[in-house]
C-alpha cells in the first residue's frame, strides 16, 4: 500500500492510497474556497442515556447536485475543482466539509442537559476514480486495498486519545438516502463508544468472560456446521445470512479468526475477506440484476489502547428491500421498541442469494 | 367509557369502545373466512443480545388495497365484510390478522440460537369510523377516550403474566410505510421488555435511586423553566420539542405528574393530556398545511405487577421530515452506531411549531 498525505486549501486533510507508488507534487483540491467554519456540539439525551450531535451548519450542504457536477471525480479543470485530484490514486480519503463530528469545534452551548464539544472526525472514502463502478465490481486487490485503508484510518484516527471508536460504513442507494452516486463510503471516529457497539461490546465481553471464547467465533462455527445460510466459505473468511437476521437480506462477513480490527488482519486473511465481500456484493447486484441498496457497517474493537480478545471484526449489511418491489420500513416496533419483526425466514432469503452466481477470478 | 367484547368468526377478539352506551347484539365481522393459521417464533440475536420475531405468514398480508376497499370502515354489505361492524362505536380494537406476536403460536424451531414461542399480542386500534378524519382532528373527548382505551388495553393485556410490556403506537403516512390510511394505530404486547424501553427503564431506575425523583419529571421542570421549546403547558400536561431531539420535529408529550401508565391518569389529567396531544397534531398538520407523517410511541411502565415510581408515561413523536421536502434517512451513524446526527437545532424547529396556530375549543 502506498499513501500520500495532503492538505486542501480550505485546511482539510486528505490522504491518497494506491497499489502502486504515487508521484510527488500532487495538490489536493477543494470546491470550497473558504476555510471550514461552524461546527457541531453534543447534547446528552437523559432518557436514552446517550449523546446526540447537532451540526446546524450541515443544512447548507451539497444536496443532489446536477449530474454534470460530481465532487468525487478527479479535478480536470482547475477553475472548477472537485474534492479529489487528477492523479493515479486508487482510494482517496478526506475530511467531510460538513462534519457531524470534528472539524472546527466551537465550545458547546450551556443548556438544561449536559453538552460537550463534538470532537471526532467524519471522513469521506472514495472507493475508486470510476463513477460507473461499484464496490463489488472493483478488482479483488482493489477491494483488499480498501480493507487496508480502513485499517490505516482506524489506527491513525484511533491514536488520538479523544477518539474511542472508529466505524467504517457505506450507505448505498437512493433508498437509504444517498445523494452522491460515485462509489464512496464514510468513516466516523467517535469521541465515545456509541450505543450499538457499546451494547455489542458488553454482550461479547460477558460471553468471553463466561466461556473463554469469542461470541462471533462460536457463532460462525455454528453457522458453518448448520450450512443452510452460508454464502461464502474461504480459507480465512466467511459470509452468511445470520440465523437471527433483522433485515430480509441481511448478511454478515467476517474473518474466521477473531481479529479485533482491520489493522490486525494478515495478508492472506485480508485477501480472503475481500473475496467474501466481493462475492456478497456481486450476489446482491445479481439478485434482481440491478444495483442493490444496502447499509454496510464494519464493527471493530474500541480504540482505547486495550487488548480486546472479545472483539471480532465483522460487517453487517442491511438492505432496505423486503422483496423486489417492497421496502422494509422501520416503524413502531423496530424504532420505538427496538424489537425487530421479520416477514421472511433467513433460510429462504439465504437460498435466494445462494442461487445467484458470483464468479470471481 | 362503554365497552363491548366480541369475537370474530375467525376466532379473533374484538372490543368496541364508545362515549355512549352501545346497543346489544352487535356482530363482529371479518374479511377472512378461515381461522387464523401460521404464527411467529422468536430467535435470539447473540451479538445484540435481543429477540427478533419471525412471522413468515405476514408476507401474504393486505398491501395497499385499492381505494374502494377499506378494511377499517364499518361493514355495510354482509357479503363483503370489513374488520369492523356498522354500530355506534368510537374506537374499535381487534387482533391483527397477521400478527408478529401472538395469535396461533406454533412451537419454535430448533436452531443454532435459542428460540421461543412468539407469545404476546398485536392489536389494531381504529381511532374513528371516519376515514377522512385524523387523530388530531377528532373532538377532544374522543381523543381522551382513546387515551382511556390505551389504558384499558394496557391493563387487560398486562394482566397476562406472559406479557411484560405494552406499547401503543401510531405510524402515520406513506413516508413511514403506512399502507392503510384510515386513522388507526397499533398496540404491541411483548413477552419481554424490548431493548429501547429496557434501556430507558434502566437509566430511569438509576436516576430515581440516586436522586429520589423521576428523570422525566425533573426534565419537564427544566424544559418549563427554560421555555424555549414549549408547545403546550396546561394544568396537568405539557408538550415540547426536547432539547435533545433526535429528529428535527421531535416532540414529547407527558402528564406533569409522574404517572406510570395510562390507567393511572386521573380524569382531569387525561383530558389535559388529550389537549396537549391534539395541540401538537394540529400544529404538525398546520405547519405545511398538509398531513404531517410521524411515528408516535407511548412509553409506560412494564406490566410486571411491580410499582414503578421511576416510570413516567409519555409520548415521543418522530416525524421523518427534515424540511418541507427533505426526509431524514436513518443510515450509517444512526442505525449502525445508534449515534444520531441532527442538521437542525431543536430551538429553531420548536420556534417553527410555536408559530403555528392550533385553536382548541
Amino acid at each position: 500500500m502506498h499513501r500520500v498525505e495532503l492538505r486542501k486549501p480550505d485546511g482539510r486533510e486528505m490522504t491518497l492510497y494506491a497499489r502502486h507508488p504515487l508521484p510527488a507534487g500532487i495538490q489536493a483540491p477543494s470546491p470550497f474556497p473558504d476555510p471550514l467554519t461552524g461546527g457541531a456540539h453534543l447534547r446528552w439525551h437523559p432518557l436514552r442515556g446517550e449523546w446526540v450531535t447537532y451540526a446546524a451548519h450541515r443544512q447548507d450542504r451539497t444536496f443532489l447536485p446536477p449530474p454534470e457536477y460530481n465532487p468525487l471525480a478527479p479535478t480536470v479543470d482547475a477553475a472548477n475543482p472537485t474534492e479529489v485530484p487528477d492523479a493515479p490514486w486508487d482510494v482517496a480519503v478526506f475530511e467531510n466539509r460538513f462534519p457531524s463530528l470534528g472539524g472546527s469545534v466551537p465550545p458547546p452551548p450551556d443548556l438544561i442537559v449536559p453538552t460537550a464539544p463534538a470532537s471526532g472526525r467524519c471522513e469521506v472514502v472514495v472507493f475508486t476514480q470510476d463513477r460507473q463502478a461499484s464496490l463489488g465490481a472493483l478488482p479483488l486487490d482493489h477491494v483488499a486495498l480498501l480493507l487496508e485503508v480502513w485499517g490505516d484510518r482506524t489506527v491513525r484516527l484511533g491514536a488520538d486519545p479523544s477518539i474511542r471508536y472508529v466505524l467504517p460504513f457505506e450507505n448505498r442507494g437512493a433508498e437509504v438516502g444517498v445523494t452522491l452516486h460515485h462509489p464512496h463510503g464514510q468513516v466516523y471516529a467517535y469521541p465515545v463508544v456509541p450505543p450499538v457497539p457499546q451494547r455489542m461490546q458488553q454482550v461479547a465481553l460477558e460471553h468471553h468472560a463466561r466461556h473463554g471464547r469469542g461470541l462471533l467465533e462460536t457463532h460462525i462455527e455454528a453457522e458453518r456446521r448448520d450450512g443452510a445460510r452460508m454464502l461464502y466459505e474461504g480459507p480465512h473468511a466467511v459470509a452468511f445470512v445470520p440465523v437471527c437476521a433483522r433485515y430480509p437480506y441481511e448478511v454478515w462477513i467476517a474473518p474466521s479468526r477473531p481479529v479485533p480490527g482491520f489493522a490486525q488482519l494478515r495478508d492472506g486473511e485480508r485477501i480472503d475477506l475481500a473475496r467474501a465481500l466481493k462475492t456478497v456484493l456481486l450476489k446482491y447486484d445479481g439478485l434482481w440484476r440491478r444495483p442493490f441498496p444496502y447499509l454496510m457497517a464494519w464493527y471493530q474493537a474500541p480504540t482505547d489502547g486495550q487488548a480486546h480478545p472479545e472483539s471480532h471484526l465483522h460487517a453487517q449489511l442491511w438492505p432496505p428491500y423486503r422483496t423486489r418491489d417492497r421496502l422494509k420500513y422501520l416503524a413502531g416496533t423496530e424504532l420505538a421498541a427496538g424489537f425487530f419483526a421479520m416477514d421472511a425466514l433467513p433460510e429462504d432469503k439465504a437460498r435466494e442469494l445462494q442461487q445467484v452466481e458470483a464468479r470471481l477470478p
Side-chain angles (χ1 to χ4, degrees), chain A:
Chain A
M1 183 178 73
H2 301 269
R3 58 193 303 283
V4 172
E5 287 184 45
L6 304 170
R7 192 170 288 274
K8 288 169 174 279
D10 61 7
R12 290 177 292 149
E13 290 178 8
M14 162 164 241
T15 310
L16 302 178
Y17 295 88
R19 288 165 291 179
H20 304 288
L22 285 156
I26 303 173
Q27 300 290 317
S30 173
F32 306 98
D34 308 319
L36 206 56
T37 58
H41 66 269
L42 305 184
R43 301 183 182 190
W44 183 248
H45 190 303
L47 299 197
R48 297 176 63 99
E50 67 191 34
W51 292 102
V52 180
T53 185
Y54 296 84
H57 62 288
R58 275 173 62 86
Q59 285 187 320
D60 311 319
R61 75 178 186 276
T62 315
F63 188 80
L64 275 182
E68 66 276 12
Y69 180 70
N70 173 6
L72 304 186
T75 297
V76 286
D77 172 8
N80 289 301
T82 66
E83 288 280 19
V84 291
D86 186 18
W89 52 268
D90 289 316
V91 174
V93 177
F94 59 86
E95 288 183 79
N96 194 317
R97 171 72 191 193
F98 303 100
S100 299
L101 296 168
S104 147
V105 178
D110 191 23
L111 293 168
I112 60 169
V113 289
T115 60
S119 56
R121 176 90 86 122
C122 294
E123 296 187 335
V124 177
V125 180
V126 188
F127 294 160
T128 167
Q129 299 207 13
D130 180 3
R131 75 181 294 174
Q132 303 298 334
S134 65
L135 179 50
L138 295 176
L140 196 60
D141 63 344
H142 195 140
V143 177
L145 173 74
L146 177 61
L147 303 190
E148 205 175 349
V149 168
W150 281 333
D152 193 57
R153 300 320 303 162
T154 303
V155 168
R156 285 169 193 274
L157 294 168
D160 178 341
S162 76
I163 300 293
R164 306 313 292 251
Y165 196 82
V166 178
L167 184 78
F169 62 90
E170 181 191 5
N171 302 325
R172 186 192 191 204
E175 294 89 341
V176 296
V178 174
T179 53
L180 276 175
H181 298 296
H182 190 120
H184 74 288
Q186 299 177 67
V187 172
Y188 270 40
Y190 297 94
V192 294
V193 181
V196 172
Q198 175 75 58
R199 167 74 178 160
M200 288 170 61
Q201 203 64 27
Q202 177 202 332
V203 171
L205 264 171
E206 282 167 16
H207 180 96
H208 199 274
R210 186 172 309 146
H211 302 280
R213 290 199 70 212
L215 179 55
L216 180 55
E217 186 186 4
T218 307
H219 186 79
I220 288 171
E221 286 174 8
E223 290 280 5
R224 292 182 86 147
R225 270 199 310 276
D226 180 321
R229 292 166 301 275
M230 296 306 295
L231 300 180
Y232 179 84
E233 287 190 78
H236 304 294
V238 291
F240 53 89
V241 176
V243 64
C244 55
R246 299 181 307 142
Y247 296 82
Y249 294 97
E250 178 166 349
V251 169
W252 295 357
I253 305 172
S256 308
R257 187 171 67 95
V259 177
F262 284 111
Q264 290 78 37
L265 286 170
R266 297 172 191 141
D267 287 351
E269 288 174 326
R270 194 184 310 110
I271 283 286
D272 203 36
L273 191 58
R275 189 180 286 272
L277 171 57
K278 187 170 162 67
T279 299
V280 170
L281 298 184
L282 288 178
K283 281 175 175 285
Y284 273 174
D285 282 359
L287 184 63
W288 298 321
R289 297 174 197 281
R290 69 182 195 209
F292 196 80
Y294 56 77
L295 191 166
M296 172 173 69
W298 285 88
Y299 294 107
Q300 308 183 81
T303 57
D304 51 10
Q306 308 294 310
H308 283 282
E310 81 289 355
S311 282
H312 190 150
L313 168 70
H314 72 284
Q316 296 192 14
L317 286 83
W318 302 336
Y321 278 101
R322 293 196 288 135
T323 63
R324 188 190 293 263
D325 52 5
R326 293 188 194 174
L327 289 166
K328 176 182 177 70
Y329 287 90
L330 302 187
T333 189
E334 287 88 0
L335 292 179
F339 194 100
F340 272 62
M342 279 272 288
D343 286 351
L345 293 181
E347 294 69 37
D348 294 336
K349 293 301 175 180
R351 205 169 305 120
E352 287 181 43
L353 290 170
Q354 284 163 351
Q355 285 162 4
V356 180
E357 240 184 288
R359 227 177 263 168
L360 261 66

